Amino acid sequence: MPAAFRRHTEATMTLTFDGTVIVPVADPDDGKQTTTALVSHLTDSSHVVLVNVIEKGGGTIDKASPEQRKEYADEIFAAARKPLADSPAVIESEVLYGTAVAETIFAAATERDAEAVVFSPRKSNRLVELLSGDVARQLVKNGSVPVVALPQNS
C-alpha cells in the first residue's frame, strides 16, 4: 500500500457537536438507533433537541387523536433518551406539529439557531420513499441549516 494512502487511512476525523442540534425521531427504534449513533459525537457543550413531528392532515381527518400521538411521542423520546443517559450533553425533547415534516424540522432548527439537523436514515425501499415523500431525502436536499446523516449501526 502506498505511504500516502496509508497515512490517509490511519488519520481519524472526529465529528463533534458543540452547540444545538435538532434530532428528528420518528419511532422508538429510530430514536434509539439515532441517539446510539449520536452519543459519541456529543460534548459537555452539546445541546440535543429530540423532535417528533406530528404531521397534521392539512384539512383532512387525522389518523389518531392528538392525545394518542402525544403518548406515542413520549414513548419515542423515552427510547431515544436511553443511549444518552450518560452523555454530558443537555437533552430536551419537543413535539412539533406541521403539514410538511422537513419544513417543520428546519423551522425548529432556525428558531433555536441550531448548528445542524442530525439524523440516522431509516432503511426503506424505493416504493415506500416514493409514497411517503422520503423525509430523509427532503432533509438533505432542502436544508436551511447543515444536515448530518449518521451511519446506521449494524
Side-chain angles (χ1 to χ4, degrees):
M1 166 177 348
F5 184 75
R6 189 171 35 253
R7 279 195 304 270
H8 178 69
T9 60
E10 292 171 357
T12 59
M13 183 174 83
T14 303
L15 173 66
T16 58
F17 299 108
D18 296 320
T20 301
V21 291
I22 303 295
V23 182
V25 290
D27 60 51
D29 290 338
D30 176 52
K32 184 177 178 183
Q33 174 184 325
T34 300
T35 56
T36 298
L38 174 66
V39 72
S40 65
H41 303 285
L42 301 176
T43 69
D44 59 356
S45 62
S46 300
H47 181 181
V48 175
V49 183
L50 303 169
V51 298
N52 176 256
V53 179
I54 296 178
E55 194 169 8
K56 301 300 288 174
T60 62
I61 297 173
D62 290 332
K63 299 173 189 170
S65 73
E67 296 79 23
Q68 289 172 319
R69 289 177 165 213
K70 177 68 172 88
E71 287 175 15
Y72 188 56
D74 290 341
E75 289 178 38
I76 295 168
F77 294 143
R81 284 177 179 271
K82 285 182 183 176
L84 300 172
D86 294 327
S87 169
V90 172
I91 312 297
E92 68 176 278
S93 55
E94 182 177 359
V95 175
L96 305 174
Y97 299 88
T99 55
V101 175
E103 288 177 19
T104 303
I105 292 167
F106 286 125
T110 300
E111 180 181 306
R112 291 178 172 269
D113 197 26
E115 69 178 346
V117 170
V118 180
F119 75 103
S120 183
R122 292 183 288 156
K123 294 178 184 175
S124 66
N125 64 44
R126 229 21 219 149
L127 178 61
V128 171
E129 290 176 6
L130 289 172
L131 294 174
S132 70
D134 189 20
V135 174
R137 182 181 305 271
Q138 292 173 19
L139 287 174
V140 172
K141 288 180 70 176
N142 302 322
S144 57
V145 298
V147 176
V148 177
L150 298 170
Q152 294 180 352
N153 295 332
S154 48

